[in-house]
PDB file of all heavy atoms in Angstrom:
ATOM      1  N   ALA A 269     -43.258   8.702  60.638  1.00 88.00           N
ATOM      2  CA  ALA A 269     -42.030   8.515  61.406  1.00 88.00           C
ATOM      3  C   ALA A 269     -41.689   7.035  61.609  1.00 88.00           C
ATOM      4  O   ALA A 269     -40.538   6.666  61.770  1.00 88.00           O
ATOM      5  CB  ALA A 269     -42.135   9.218  62.764  1.00 88.00           C
ATOM      6  N   GLY A 270     -42.700   6.190  61.618  1.00 88.00           N
ATOM      7  CA  GLY A 270     -42.472   4.764  61.846  1.00 88.00           C
ATOM      8  C   GLY A 270     -42.035   3.981  60.621  1.00 88.00           C
ATOM      9  O   GLY A 270     -41.667   2.815  60.718  1.00 88.00           O
ATOM     10  N   LEU A 271     -42.022   4.642  59.471  1.00 92.00           N
ATOM     11  CA  LEU A 271     -41.609   3.957  58.262  1.00 92.00           C
ATOM     12  C   LEU A 271     -40.090   3.773  58.254  1.00 92.00           C
ATOM     13  O   LEU A 271     -39.353   4.720  58.508  1.00 92.00           O
ATOM     14  CB  LEU A 271     -42.029   4.775  57.017  1.00 92.00           C
ATOM     15  CG  LEU A 271     -43.536   4.958  56.779  1.00 92.00           C
ATOM     16  CD1 LEU A 271     -43.759   5.880  55.590  1.00 92.00           C
ATOM     17  CD2 LEU A 271     -44.220   3.625  56.548  1.00 92.00           C
ATOM     18  N   GLN A 272     -39.633   2.560  57.980  1.00 84.00           N
ATOM     19  CA  GLN A 272     -38.204   2.292  57.980  1.00 84.00           C
ATOM     20  C   GLN A 272     -37.512   3.056  56.849  1.00 84.00           C
ATOM     21  O   GLN A 272     -36.510   3.699  57.031  1.00 84.00           O
ATOM     22  CB  GLN A 272     -37.931   0.800  57.849  1.00 84.00           C
ATOM     23  CG  GLN A 272     -36.458   0.460  57.931  1.00 84.00           C
ATOM     24  CD  GLN A 272     -36.215  -1.036  57.956  1.00 84.00           C
ATOM     25  OE1 GLN A 272     -37.154  -1.829  57.972  1.00 84.00           O
ATOM     26  NE2 GLN A 272     -34.952  -1.442  57.939  1.00 84.00           N
ATOM     27  N   GLY A 273     -38.106   2.984  55.676  1.00 89.00           N
ATOM     28  CA  GLY A 273     -37.608   3.776  54.568  1.00 89.00           C
ATOM     29  C   GLY A 273     -36.350   3.251  53.930  1.00 89.00           C
ATOM     30  O   GLY A 273     -35.627   2.391  54.463  1.00 89.00           O
ATOM     31  N   LYS A 274     -36.042   3.785  52.768  1.00 95.00           N
ATOM     32  CA  LYS A 274     -34.822   3.458  52.023  1.00 95.00           C
ATOM     33  C   LYS A 274     -33.881   4.628  52.082  1.00 95.00           C
ATOM     34  O   LYS A 274     -34.242   5.749  51.704  1.00 95.00           O
ATOM     35  CB  LYS A 274     -35.151   3.111  50.570  1.00 95.00           C
ATOM     36  CG  LYS A 274     -33.914   2.736  49.763  1.00 95.00           C
ATOM     37  CD  LYS A 274     -34.268   2.207  48.377  1.00 95.00           C
ATOM     38  CE  LYS A 274     -32.992   1.809  47.643  1.00 95.00           C
ATOM     39  NZ  LYS A 274     -33.265   1.226  46.303  1.00 95.00           N
ATOM     40  N   ASN A 275     -32.657   4.392  52.535  1.00 97.00           N
ATOM     41  CA  ASN A 275     -31.627   5.423  52.640  1.00 97.00           C
ATOM     42  C   ASN A 275     -30.968   5.606  51.280  1.00 97.00           C
ATOM     43  O   ASN A 275     -30.299   4.693  50.782  1.00 97.00           O
ATOM     44  CB  ASN A 275     -30.599   5.008  53.684  1.00 97.00           C
ATOM     45  CG  ASN A 275     -29.542   6.070  53.933  1.00 97.00           C
ATOM     46  OD1 ASN A 275     -29.484   7.093  53.217  1.00 97.00           O
ATOM     47  ND2 ASN A 275     -28.705   5.876  54.936  1.00 97.00           N
ATOM     48  N   LEU A 276     -31.156   6.758  50.656  1.00 98.00           N
ATOM     49  CA  LEU A 276     -30.580   7.032  49.351  1.00 98.00           C
ATOM     50  C   LEU A 276     -29.147   7.567  49.428  1.00 98.00           C
ATOM     51  O   LEU A 276     -28.553   7.906  48.405  1.00 98.00           O
ATOM     52  CB  LEU A 276     -31.471   7.985  48.564  1.00 98.00           C
ATOM     53  CG  LEU A 276     -32.865   7.438  48.240  1.00 98.00           C
ATOM     54  CD1 LEU A 276     -33.665   8.439  47.415  1.00 98.00           C
ATOM     55  CD2 LEU A 276     -32.786   6.103  47.503  1.00 98.00           C
ATOM     56  N   GLU A 277     -28.618   7.671  50.637  1.00 97.00           N
ATOM     57  CA  GLU A 277     -27.196   7.974  50.869  1.00 97.00           C
ATOM     58  C   GLU A 277     -26.744   9.270  50.199  1.00 97.00           C
ATOM     59  O   GLU A 277     -25.662   9.363  49.631  1.00 97.00           O
ATOM     60  CB  GLU A 277     -26.338   6.786  50.422  1.00 97.00           C
ATOM     61  CG  GLU A 277     -26.668   5.522  51.165  1.00 97.00           C
ATOM     62  CD  GLU A 277     -25.862   4.322  50.682  1.00 97.00           C
ATOM     63  OE1 GLU A 277     -25.291   4.384  49.567  1.00 97.00           O
ATOM     64  OE2 GLU A 277     -25.791   3.339  51.426  1.00 97.00           O
ATOM     65  N   GLY A 278     -27.618  10.272  50.247  1.00 97.00           N
ATOM     66  CA  GLY A 278     -27.256  11.594  49.727  1.00 97.00           C
ATOM     67  C   GLY A 278     -27.349  11.743  48.224  1.00 97.00           C
ATOM     68  O   GLY A 278     -26.966  12.796  47.683  1.00 97.00           O
ATOM     69  N   ARG A 279     -27.884  10.739  47.534  1.00 98.00           N
ATOM     70  CA  ARG A 279     -27.970  10.831  46.069  1.00 98.00           C
ATOM     71  C   ARG A 279     -28.996  11.878  45.632  1.00 98.00           C
ATOM     72  O   ARG A 279     -29.886  12.261  46.398  1.00 98.00           O
ATOM     73  CB  ARG A 279     -28.343   9.464  45.475  1.00 98.00           C
ATOM     74  CG  ARG A 279     -27.267   8.393  45.630  1.00 98.00           C
ATOM     75  CD  ARG A 279     -27.668   7.107  44.930  1.00 98.00           C
ATOM     76  NE  ARG A 279     -26.614   6.109  44.997  1.00 98.00           N
ATOM     77  CZ  ARG A 279     -26.498   5.201  45.953  1.00 98.00           C
ATOM     78  NH1 ARG A 279     -27.376   5.174  46.963  1.00 98.00           N
ATOM     79  NH2 ARG A 279     -25.507   4.319  45.923  1.00 98.00           N
ATOM     80  N   LEU A 280     -28.851  12.300  44.392  1.00 98.00           N
ATOM     81  CA  LEU A 280     -29.792  13.268  43.795  1.00 98.00           C
ATOM     82  C   LEU A 280     -31.039  12.544  43.318  1.00 98.00           C
ATOM     83  O   LEU A 280     -30.968  11.486  42.677  1.00 98.00           O
ATOM     84  CB  LEU A 280     -29.130  13.984  42.611  1.00 98.00           C
ATOM     85  CG  LEU A 280     -30.043  14.933  41.849  1.00 98.00           C
ATOM     86  CD1 LEU A 280     -30.333  16.181  42.667  1.00 98.00           C
ATOM     87  CD2 LEU A 280     -29.392  15.333  40.512  1.00 98.00           C
ATOM     88  N   VAL A 281     -32.187  13.141  43.598  1.00 98.00           N
ATOM     89  CA  VAL A 281     -33.472  12.649  43.089  1.00 98.00           C
ATOM     90  C   VAL A 281     -34.089  13.740  42.224  1.00 98.00           C
ATOM     91  O   VAL A 281     -34.148  14.914  42.626  1.00 98.00           O
ATOM     92  CB  VAL A 281     -34.435  12.281  44.244  1.00 98.00           C
ATOM     93  CG1 VAL A 281     -35.807  11.913  43.698  1.00 98.00           C
ATOM     94  CG2 VAL A 281     -33.859  11.146  45.071  1.00 98.00           C
ATOM     95  N   THR A 282     -34.517  13.368  41.022  1.00 98.00           N
ATOM     96  CA  THR A 282     -35.220  14.302  40.141  1.00 98.00           C
ATOM     97  C   THR A 282     -36.526  13.646  39.688  1.00 98.00           C
ATOM     98  O   THR A 282     -36.688  12.423  39.800  1.00 98.00           O
ATOM     99  CB  THR A 282     -34.401  14.628  38.871  1.00 98.00           C
ATOM    100  OG1 THR A 282     -34.370  13.474  38.007  1.00 98.00           O
ATOM    101  CG2 THR A 282     -32.999  15.065  39.215  1.00 98.00           C
ATOM    102  N   PRO A 283     -37.440  14.442  39.151  1.00 98.00           N
ATOM    103  CA  PRO A 283     -38.577  13.814  38.472  1.00 98.00           C
ATOM    104  C   PRO A 283     -38.052  12.889  37.374  1.00 98.00           C
ATOM    105  O   PRO A 283     -36.997  13.150  36.784  1.00 98.00           O
ATOM    106  CB  PRO A 283     -39.344  14.995  37.885  1.00 98.00           C
ATOM    107  CG  PRO A 283     -38.911  16.175  38.688  1.00 98.00           C
ATOM    108  CD  PRO A 283     -37.486  15.914  39.067  1.00 98.00           C
ATOM    109  N   ALA A 284     -38.750  11.794  37.115  1.00 98.00           N
ATOM    110  CA  ALA A 284     -38.395  10.969  35.965  1.00 98.00           C
ATOM    111  C   ALA A 284     -38.397  11.847  34.719  1.00 98.00           C
ATOM    112  O   ALA A 284     -39.203  12.766  34.577  1.00 98.00           O
ATOM    113  CB  ALA A 284     -39.385   9.822  35.811  1.00 98.00           C
ATOM    114  N   LEU A 285     -37.494  11.577  33.795  1.00 98.00           N
ATOM    115  CA  LEU A 285     -37.299  12.458  32.642  1.00 98.00           C
ATOM    116  C   LEU A 285     -38.355  12.194  31.574  1.00 98.00           C
ATOM    117  O   LEU A 285     -38.976  11.124  31.524  1.00 98.00           O
ATOM    118  CB  LEU A 285     -35.895  12.284  32.070  1.00 98.00           C
ATOM    119  CG  LEU A 285     -34.739  12.465  33.054  1.00 98.00           C
ATOM    120  CD1 LEU A 285     -33.402  12.431  32.337  1.00 98.00           C
ATOM    121  CD2 LEU A 285     -34.886  13.751  33.864  1.00 98.00           C
ATOM    122  N   ILE A 286     -38.536  13.205  30.719  1.00 99.00           N
ATOM    123  CA  ILE A 286     -39.570  13.177  29.673  1.00 99.00           C
ATOM    124  C   ILE A 286     -38.940  13.632  28.368  1.00 99.00           C
ATOM    125  O   ILE A 286     -38.310  14.680  28.304  1.00 99.00           O
ATOM    126  CB  ILE A 286     -40.728  14.128  30.025  1.00 99.00           C
ATOM    127  CG1 ILE A 286     -41.395  13.708  31.350  1.00 99.00           C
ATOM    128  CG2 ILE A 286     -41.759  14.202  28.899  1.00 99.00           C
ATOM    129  CD1 ILE A 286     -42.337  14.773  31.927  1.00 99.00           C
ATOM    130  N   ASP A 287     -39.101  12.818  27.314  1.00 99.00           N
ATOM    131  CA  ASP A 287     -38.684  13.261  25.974  1.00 99.00           C
ATOM    132  C   ASP A 287     -39.953  13.572  25.206  1.00 99.00           C
ATOM    133  O   ASP A 287     -40.722  12.683  24.857  1.00 99.00           O
ATOM    134  CB  ASP A 287     -37.879  12.171  25.267  1.00 99.00           C
ATOM    135  CG  ASP A 287     -37.173  12.696  24.010  1.00 99.00           C
ATOM    136  OD1 ASP A 287     -37.738  13.604  23.353  1.00 99.00           O
ATOM    137  OD2 ASP A 287     -36.078  12.231  23.683  1.00 99.00           O
ATOM    138  N   CYS A 288     -40.175  14.848  24.918  1.00 98.00           N
ATOM    139  CA  CYS A 288     -41.454  15.285  24.364  1.00 98.00           C
ATOM    140  C   CYS A 288     -41.480  15.398  22.841  1.00 98.00           C
ATOM    141  O   CYS A 288     -42.466  15.890  22.286  1.00 98.00           O
ATOM    142  CB  CYS A 288     -41.876  16.614  25.000  1.00 98.00           C
ATOM    143  SG  CYS A 288     -40.762  17.998  24.641  1.00 98.00           S
ATOM    144  N   HIS A 289     -40.429  14.910  22.141  1.00 98.00           N
ATOM    145  CA  HIS A 289     -40.414  14.984  20.677  1.00 98.00           C
ATOM    146  C   HIS A 289     -39.497  13.893  20.127  1.00 98.00           C
ATOM    147  O   HIS A 289     -38.275  14.043  20.149  1.00 98.00           O
ATOM    148  CB  HIS A 289     -39.942  16.352  20.206  1.00 98.00           C
ATOM    149  CG  HIS A 289     -39.937  16.548  18.710  1.00 98.00           C
ATOM    150  ND1 HIS A 289     -40.506  17.646  18.106  1.00 98.00           N
ATOM    151  CD2 HIS A 289     -39.409  15.812  17.703  1.00 98.00           C
ATOM    152  CE1 HIS A 289     -40.331  17.572  16.796  1.00 98.00           C
ATOM    153  NE2 HIS A 289     -39.657  16.442  16.527  1.00 98.00           N
ATOM    154  N   THR A 290     -40.095  12.783  19.650  1.00 98.00           N
ATOM    155  CA  THR A 290     -39.293  11.747  18.988  1.00 98.00           C
ATOM    156  C   THR A 290     -40.062  11.191  17.784  1.00 98.00           C
ATOM    157  O   THR A 290     -41.279  11.304  17.682  1.00 98.00           O
ATOM    158  CB  THR A 290     -38.942  10.556  19.907  1.00 98.00           C
ATOM    159  OG1 THR A 290     -40.025   9.601  19.937  1.00 98.00           O
ATOM    160  CG2 THR A 290     -38.598  10.999  21.314  1.00 98.00           C
ATOM    161  N   HIS A 291     -39.282  10.571  16.891  1.00 98.00           N
ATOM    162  CA  HIS A 291     -39.794   9.806  15.762  1.00 98.00           C
ATOM    163  C   HIS A 291     -39.256   8.385  15.906  1.00 98.00           C
ATOM    164  O   HIS A 291     -38.669   7.818  14.992  1.00 98.00           O
ATOM    165  CB  HIS A 291     -39.322  10.404  14.430  1.00 98.00           C
ATOM    166  CG  HIS A 291     -39.634  11.870  14.258  1.00 98.00           C
ATOM    167  ND1 HIS A 291     -40.611  12.306  13.394  1.00 98.00           N
ATOM    168  CD2 HIS A 291     -39.102  12.987  14.830  1.00 98.00           C
ATOM    169  CE1 HIS A 291     -40.655  13.654  13.421  1.00 98.00           C
ATOM    170  NE2 HIS A 291     -39.732  14.059  14.296  1.00 98.00           N
ATOM    171  N   LEU A 292     -39.443   7.816  17.070  1.00 98.00           N
ATOM    172  CA  LEU A 292     -38.752   6.599  17.469  1.00 98.00           C
ATOM    173  C   LEU A 292     -39.137   5.359  16.653  1.00 98.00           C
ATOM    174  O   LEU A 292     -38.324   4.456  16.462  1.00 98.00           O
ATOM    175  CB  LEU A 292     -38.982   6.348  18.965  1.00 98.00           C
ATOM    176  CG  LEU A 292     -38.225   5.193  19.593  1.00 98.00           C
ATOM    177  CD1 LEU A 292     -37.582   5.624  20.900  1.00 98.00           C
ATOM    178  CD2 LEU A 292     -39.170   4.012  19.844  1.00 98.00           C
ATOM    179  N   VAL A 293     -40.371   5.308  16.159  1.00 98.00           N
ATOM    180  CA  VAL A 293     -40.832   4.152  15.403  1.00 98.00           C
ATOM    181  C   VAL A 293     -40.570   4.382  13.909  1.00 98.00           C
ATOM    182  O   VAL A 293     -41.146   5.302  13.300  1.00 98.00           O
ATOM    183  CB  VAL A 293     -42.312   3.884  15.633  1.00 98.00           C
ATOM    184  CG1 VAL A 293     -42.827   2.778  14.712  1.00 98.00           C
ATOM    185  CG2 VAL A 293     -42.559   3.492  17.102  1.00 98.00           C
ATOM    186  N   TYR A 294     -39.717   3.576  13.320  1.00 98.00           N
ATOM    187  CA  TYR A 294     -39.445   3.675  11.872  1.00 98.00           C
ATOM    188  C   TYR A 294     -38.761   2.400  11.424  1.00 98.00           C
ATOM    189  O   TYR A 294     -38.208   1.647  12.238  1.00 98.00           O
ATOM    190  CB  TYR A 294     -38.568   4.887  11.539  1.00 98.00           C
ATOM    191  CG  TYR A 294     -37.216   4.935  12.217  1.00 98.00           C
ATOM    192  CD1 TYR A 294     -36.119   4.263  11.688  1.00 98.00           C
ATOM    193  CD2 TYR A 294     -37.031   5.650  13.391  1.00 98.00           C
ATOM    194  CE1 TYR A 294     -34.887   4.289  12.302  1.00 98.00           C
ATOM    195  CE2 TYR A 294     -35.808   5.694  14.028  1.00 98.00           C
ATOM    196  CZ  TYR A 294     -34.729   5.010  13.473  1.00 98.00           C
ATOM    197  OH  TYR A 294     -33.508   5.040  14.103  1.00 98.00           O
ATOM    198  N   GLY A 295     -38.773   2.159  10.131  1.00 98.00           N
ATOM    199  CA  GLY A 295     -38.104   1.018   9.560  1.00 98.00           C
ATOM    200  C   GLY A 295     -36.784   1.393   8.931  1.00 98.00           C
ATOM    201  O   GLY A 295     -36.598   2.511   8.469  1.00 98.00           O
ATOM    202  N   GLY A 296     -35.851   0.435   8.870  1.00 96.00           N
ATOM    203  CA  GLY A 296     -34.603   0.640   8.161  1.00 96.00           C
ATOM    204  C   GLY A 296     -33.606   1.514   8.871  1.00 96.00           C
ATOM    205  O   GLY A 296     -33.718   1.816  10.056  1.00 96.00           O
ATOM    206  N   SER A 297     -32.594   1.936   8.120  1.00 94.00           N
ATOM    207  CA  SER A 297     -31.503   2.770   8.633  1.00 94.00           C
ATOM    208  C   SER A 297     -31.070   3.745   7.547  1.00 94.00           C
ATOM    209  O   SER A 297     -31.216   3.486   6.365  1.00 94.00           O
ATOM    210  CB  SER A 297     -30.313   1.876   9.025  1.00 94.00           C
ATOM    211  OG  SER A 297     -29.159   2.639   9.280  1.00 94.00           O
ATOM    212  N   ARG A 298     -30.537   4.868   7.976  1.00 94.00           N
ATOM    213  CA  ARG A 298     -30.006   5.851   7.021  1.00 94.00           C
ATOM    214  C   ARG A 298     -28.494   6.024   7.178  1.00 94.00           C
ATOM    215  O   ARG A 298     -27.939   7.049   6.802  1.00 94.00           O
ATOM    216  CB  ARG A 298     -30.726   7.199   7.222  1.00 94.00           C
ATOM    217  CG  ARG A 298     -32.262   7.119   7.113  1.00 94.00           C
ATOM    218  CD  ARG A 298     -32.783   7.576   5.788  1.00 94.00           C
ATOM    219  NE  ARG A 298     -32.755   9.020   5.670  1.00 94.00           N
ATOM    220  CZ  ARG A 298     -33.678   9.845   6.192  1.00 94.00           C
ATOM    221  NH1 ARG A 298     -34.721   9.351   6.831  1.00 94.00           N
ATOM    222  NH2 ARG A 298     -33.570  11.147   6.030  1.00 94.00           N
ATOM    223  N   ALA A 299     -27.832   5.007   7.745  1.00 94.00           N
ATOM    224  CA  ALA A 299     -26.394   5.092   7.956  1.00 94.00           C
ATOM    225  C   ALA A 299     -25.634   5.217   6.628  1.00 94.00           C
ATOM    226  O   ALA A 299     -24.618   5.921   6.560  1.00 94.00           O
ATOM    227  CB  ALA A 299     -25.893   3.862   8.729  1.00 94.00           C
ATOM    228  N   THR A 300     -26.143   4.576   5.595  1.00 90.00           N
ATOM    229  CA  THR A 300     -25.466   4.635   4.307  1.00 90.00           C
ATOM    230  C   THR A 300     -25.433   6.049   3.760  1.00 90.00           C
ATOM    231  O   THR A 300     -24.398   6.538   3.285  1.00 90.00           O
ATOM    232  CB  THR A 300     -26.134   3.686   3.287  1.00 90.00           C
ATOM    233  OG1 THR A 300     -26.018   2.349   3.772  1.00 90.00           O
ATOM    234  CG2 THR A 300     -25.453   3.787   1.935  1.00 90.00           C
ATOM    235  N   GLU A 301     -26.573   6.744   3.848  1.00 88.00           N
ATOM    236  CA  GLU A 301     -26.583   8.125   3.331  1.00 88.00           C
ATOM    237  C   GLU A 301     -25.778   9.071   4.210  1.00 88.00           C
ATOM    238  O   GLU A 301     -25.204  10.056   3.731  1.00 88.00           O
ATOM    239  CB  GLU A 301     -28.002   8.626   3.104  1.00 88.00           C
ATOM    240  CG  GLU A 301     -28.779   8.947   4.356  1.00 88.00           C
ATOM    241  CD  GLU A 301     -30.159   9.486   4.030  1.00 88.00           C
ATOM    242  OE1 GLU A 301     -30.967   8.750   3.449  1.00 88.00           O
ATOM    243  OE2 GLU A 301     -30.413  10.664   4.361  1.00 88.00           O
ATOM    244  N   PHE A 302     -25.686   8.763   5.496  1.00 90.00           N
ATOM    245  CA  PHE A 302     -24.800   9.532   6.388  1.00 90.00           C
ATOM    246  C   PHE A 302     -23.365   9.424   5.882  1.00 90.00           C
ATOM    247  O   PHE A 302     -22.648  10.425   5.771  1.00 90.00           O
ATOM    248  CB  PHE A 302     -24.917   8.956   7.819  1.00 90.00           C
ATOM    249  CG  PHE A 302     -23.922   9.481   8.804  1.00 90.00           C
ATOM    250  CD1 PHE A 302     -24.034  10.754   9.325  1.00 90.00           C
ATOM    251  CD2 PHE A 302     -22.870   8.675   9.232  1.00 90.00           C
ATOM    252  CE1 PHE A 302     -23.114  11.231  10.251  1.00 90.00           C
ATOM    253  CE2 PHE A 302     -21.943   9.159  10.157  1.00 90.00           C
ATOM    254  CZ  PHE A 302     -22.066  10.432  10.659  1.00 90.00           C
ATOM    255  N   GLU A 303     -22.981   8.208   5.519  1.00 91.00           N
ATOM    256  CA  GLU A 303     -21.630   7.995   4.990  1.00 91.00           C
ATOM    257  C   GLU A 303     -21.454   8.681   3.644  1.00 91.00           C
ATOM    258  O   GLU A 303     -20.426   9.314   3.374  1.00 91.00           O
ATOM    259  CB  GLU A 303     -21.368   6.493   4.881  1.00 91.00           C
ATOM    260  CG  GLU A 303     -19.945   6.152   4.486  1.00 91.00           C
ATOM    261  CD  GLU A 303     -19.655   4.670   4.620  1.00 91.00           C
ATOM    262  OE1 GLU A 303     -20.570   3.856   4.400  1.00 91.00           O
ATOM    263  OE2 GLU A 303     -18.495   4.334   4.935  1.00 91.00           O
ATOM    264  N   LEU A 304     -22.465   8.574   2.773  1.00 89.00           N
ATOM    265  CA  LEU A 304     -22.384   9.193   1.442  1.00 89.00           C
ATOM    266  C   LEU A 304     -22.235  10.708   1.537  1.00 89.00           C
ATOM    267  O   LEU A 304     -21.469  11.318   0.773  1.00 89.00           O
ATOM    268  CB  LEU A 304     -23.621   8.837   0.620  1.00 89.00           C
ATOM    269  CG  LEU A 304     -23.693   7.385   0.102  1.00 89.00           C
ATOM    270  CD1 LEU A 304     -25.055   7.118  -0.522  1.00 89.00           C
ATOM    271  CD2 LEU A 304     -22.573   7.099  -0.879  1.00 89.00           C
ATOM    272  N   ARG A 305     -22.982  11.346   2.447  1.00 86.00           N
ATOM    273  CA  ARG A 305     -22.871  12.798   2.617  1.00 86.00           C
ATOM    274  C   ARG A 305     -21.447  13.179   2.996  1.00 86.00           C
ATOM    275  O   ARG A 305     -20.918  14.177   2.516  1.00 86.00           O
ATOM    276  CB  ARG A 305     -23.849  13.297   3.687  1.00 86.00           C
ATOM    277  CG  ARG A 305     -25.290  13.382   3.223  1.00 86.00           C
ATOM    278  CD  ARG A 305     -26.101  14.359   4.078  1.00 86.00           C
ATOM    279  NE  ARG A 305     -26.005  14.090   5.493  1.00 86.00           N
ATOM    280  CZ  ARG A 305     -26.826  13.271   6.152  1.00 86.00           C
ATOM    281  NH1 ARG A 305     -27.780  12.612   5.505  1.00 86.00           N
ATOM    282  NH2 ARG A 305     -26.704  13.095   7.449  1.00 86.00           N
ATOM    283  N   LEU A 306     -20.840  12.391   3.875  1.00 92.00           N
ATOM    284  CA  LEU A 306     -19.488  12.705   4.313  1.00 92.00           C
ATOM    285  C   LEU A 306     -18.452  12.399   3.238  1.00 92.00           C
ATOM    286  O   LEU A 306     -17.299  12.835   3.347  1.00 92.00           O
ATOM    287  CB  LEU A 306     -19.175  11.957   5.614  1.00 92.00           C
ATOM    288  CG  LEU A 306     -20.000  12.445   6.824  1.00 92.00           C
ATOM    289  CD1 LEU A 306     -19.812  11.550   8.006  1.00 92.00           C
ATOM    290  CD2 LEU A 306     -19.613  13.888   7.167  1.00 92.00           C
ATOM    291  N   GLN A 307     -18.861  11.662   2.212  1.00 93.00           N
ATOM    292  CA  GLN A 307     -17.988  11.405   1.070  1.00 93.00           C
ATOM    293  C   GLN A 307     -18.217  12.431  -0.041  1.00 93.00           C
ATOM    294  O   GLN A 307     -17.603  12.333  -1.116  1.00 93.00           O
ATOM    295  CB  GLN A 307     -18.217   9.988   0.545  1.00 93.00           C
ATOM    296  CG  GLN A 307     -17.736   8.900   1.505  1.00 93.00           C
ATOM    297  CD  GLN A 307     -18.131   7.509   1.065  1.00 93.00           C
ATOM    298  OE1 GLN A 307     -18.953   7.351   0.162  1.00 93.00           O
ATOM    299  NE2 GLN A 307     -17.569   6.494   1.711  1.00 93.00           N
ATOM    300  N   GLY A 308     -19.141  13.403   0.229  1.00 91.00           N
ATOM    301  CA  GLY A 308     -19.340  14.479  -0.724  1.00 91.00           C
ATOM    302  C   GLY A 308     -20.620  14.480  -1.509  1.00 91.00           C
ATOM    303  O   GLY A 308     -20.885  15.410  -2.284  1.00 91.00           O
ATOM    304  N   ALA A 309     -21.474  13.462  -1.338  1.00 87.00           N
ATOM    305  CA  ALA A 309     -22.728  13.403  -2.078  1.00 87.00           C
ATOM    306  C   ALA A 309     -23.683  14.478  -1.561  1.00 87.00           C
ATOM    307  O   ALA A 309     -23.742  14.765  -0.360  1.00 87.00           O
ATOM    308  CB  ALA A 309     -23.381  12.026  -1.931  1.00 87.00           C
TER     309      ALA A 309
END
């Protein structure tokens, strides 16, 4: 009760989020083939 605390002013609090499936580490880019596919390749 004696803790001053931080007033979050009614905001929503959730657990910190978790991404359980990524391939985040990689080299290069595949933007060119994205474009080629949309051009019909």
Side-chain angles (χ1 to χ4, degrees):
L271 296 176
Q272 184 173 356
K274 181 173 182 177
N275 184 352
L276 296 182
E277 300 177 342
R279 293 184 176 91
L280 176 71
V281 174
T282 71
L285 305 187
I286 299 167
D287 193 327
C288 64
H289 182 131
T290 84
H291 305 253
L292 186 133
V293 173
Y294 59 84
S297 169
R298 304 260 284 279
T300 298
E301 72 178 65
F302 171 74
E303 186 170 33
L304 287 172
R305 283 203 307 272
L306 292 171
Q307 291 172 349

